[in-house]
Amino acid sequence: MDITQALKTLALDQWYKLLVWLGGLITIGSIFLDVKVLSNAQILPISFGVFLLGLGEWASRRKVPYKRETDHGSKVSGWEFQRFNSVYGNSLSVIGVLFILFGAYKICITGNPL
C-alpha cells in the first residue's frame, strides 16, 4: 500500500473527518495539558464524543460512482459520498452523542461559566 494513498484518506474533505481530527486532538490535549476555564474531566467526554461521532459518520459513508444526464443532454459521471446505515457506524454515532451529552451534563452540574 502506498503511503500517499493512505494520507489522502485523512484529508479534511468532509465534515465528519474534521470532527475526527478535532475530537482526537482535543481528547489527547485534555489528557496531557491542563485547561484553565473548564476542567479536563469536563472537556474529555465532549471531545471524545465528537471523535466518536465523526468516526461513526465516516463508517456510515461510502464513495459510490454515479452517471447523470444534465438538462442539456450531456452525461456526467463521477464519485459521490452517500450515507448507508450500518450498525457499526450508527452505534459509534449514538455513543458519541451520549458522551457529548454527559460532558454537557458535567458542565451544568458544576456550574462553571463558559
Side-chain angles (χ1 to χ4, degrees), residues 26-53:
I26 294 172
T27 299
I28 291 170
S30 68
I31 290 172
F32 295 111
L33 301 174
D34 190 30
V35 181
K36 301 295 182 196
V37 176
L38 298 172
S39 71
N40 290 8
Q42 294 168 333
I43 293 175
L44 186 62
I46 292 175
S47 61
F48 188 63
V50 168
F51 176 74
L52 288 179
L53 181 65

Side-chain angles (χ1 to χ4, degrees), residues 52-53 55-61 83-98:
L52 288 179
L53 181 65
L55 269 181
E57 286 298 316
W58 196 348
S60 295
R61 309 267 175 173
R83 189 176 199 306
F84 294 96
N85 289 326
S86 67
V87 174
Y88 178 69
N90 288 343
S91 299
L92 283 175
S93 295
V94 168
I95 293 170
V97 168
L98 290 176

Side-chain angles (χ1 to χ4, degrees), residues 64-80:
V64 294
Y66 70 88
K67 290 183 182 180
R68 295 190 183 111
E69 194 168 320
T70 64
D71 294 336
H72 305 290
S74 61
K75 293 186 180 188
V76 178
S77 63
W79 295 89
E80 67 182 356

Side-chain angles (χ1 to χ4, degrees), residues 3-32:
I3 191 72
T4 57
Q5 281 300 104
L7 290 177
K8 283 183 183 178
T9 61
L10 297 176
L12 300 178
D13 55 353
Q14 301 293 326
W15 63 272
Y16 46 87
K17 292 182 182 180
L18 181 64
L19 289 181
V20 171
W21 275 95
L22 285 177
L25 288 176
I26 294 172
T27 299
I28 291 170
S30 68
I31 290 172
F32 295 111

